[in-house]
Amino acid sequence: DSGVTQTPKHLITATGQRVTLRCSPRSGDLSVYWYQQSLDQGLQFLIQYYNGEERAKGNILERFSAQQFPDLHSELNLSSLELGDSALYFCASSFTVGARREQFFGPGTRLTVL
Amino acid sequence: EDQVTQSPEALRLQEGESSSLNCSYTVSGLRGLFWYRQDPGKGPEFLFTLYSAGEEKEKERLKATLTKKESFLHITAPKPEDSATYLCAVQAGGGSNYKLTFGKGTLLTVNP
């Protein structure tokens, strides 16, 4: 158990809908990262937050947005869903100070868009 | 753009048959190279971080090494429970961006 929690574990929805994925980082970790894993693309970085502020963006679609709240939990919002958005979505957290750069991953949310 | 290539894509071993997985990378300013293990449908599990060429880390039957262009994950006398996908990732560049760029992984199967 990495200490990172994600809800829900599974999500089945229809095209055009909007969903919210939730992540709670490990105790003491200030950084949260979101990644998407699909069969053909592998693990792809979406976005990073540090202590409530956006720090870096990767290949995140405009239909996707995220935020990190004062209690450090984070939410990833996916809207106008398409079939191709079906994937595993992982949240990771790290302390991100000095040499302690390891990221610890949650169990993921499996999104199925029908 | 950072690139990570892992080989082979899949590896099948007999229990006790040692081997190595390769991770080659092209980055600008390596901050760290990470190895993760991922079981089907689960999140990646952190194994090792390597920061500079020549560094080595060990954990049970696994040993990770790093050169300026590649990293190896050596598996000594593997057991069936070592079966998983092994992912390599790099962290590079500067500033406050700590994103990981992953390779596509090596699927390891250890037969009893």
Side-chain angles (χ1 to χ4, degrees), chain B residues 70-90:
Chain B
E70 58 191 348
S71 176
F72 291 93
L73 184 66
H74 307 278
I75 303 176
T76 302
K79 298 182 178 182
E81 53 261 42
D82 295 322
S83 297
T85 296
Y86 289 86
L87 298 168
C88 169
V90 296

Side-chain angles (χ1 to χ4, degrees), chain A residues 33 35 37 40-41 43 45 48 55-56 90 96 99 101-107 110, chain B residues 31-32 34 36 38 41-44 46 49 51 87 91 96-100 102 104:
Chain A
Y33 310 76
Y35 292 85
Q37 187 174 40
D40 55 339
Q41 293 291 324
L43 262 166
F45 169 73
Q48 173 196 348
R55 283 298 176 94
F90 289 105
T96 321
R101 303 174 195 152
E102 301 83 46
Q103 294 180 21
F104 294 89
F105 284 75
R110 181 176 293 279
Chain B
R31 282 177 156 177
F34 302 80
Y36 287 85
Q38 186 175 27
K42 301 205 171 174
F46 171 74
T49 309
Y51 292 109
L87 298 168
Q91 198 174 62
S96 56
N97 183 348
Y98 288 90
K99 73 169 188 179
L100 294 177
F102 282 86
K104 297 205 170 176

Side-chain angles (χ1 to χ4, degrees), chain A residues 11 13 17-21 76-79 81 111:
Chain A
L11 204 46
T13 188
Q17 295 298 305
R18 173 189 169 94
V19 297
T20 297
L21 313 184
L76 179 67
N77 300 296
L78 314 177
S79 61
L81 285 167
L111 174 66

Side-chain angles (χ1 to χ4, degrees), chain A residues 65-108:
Chain A
S65 65
Q67 53 185 326
Q68 186 179 28
F69 295 87
D71 67 352
L72 300 178
H73 92 271
S74 177
E75 292 180 358
L76 179 67
N77 300 296
L78 314 177
S79 61
S80 303
L81 285 167
E82 301 175 359
L83 295 177
D85 298 327
S86 296
L88 269 167
Y89 291 84
F90 289 105
C91 166
S93 74
S94 73
F95 188 51
T96 321
V97 172
R100 295 166 61 183
R101 303 174 195 152
E102 301 83 46
Q103 294 180 21
F104 294 89
F105 284 75

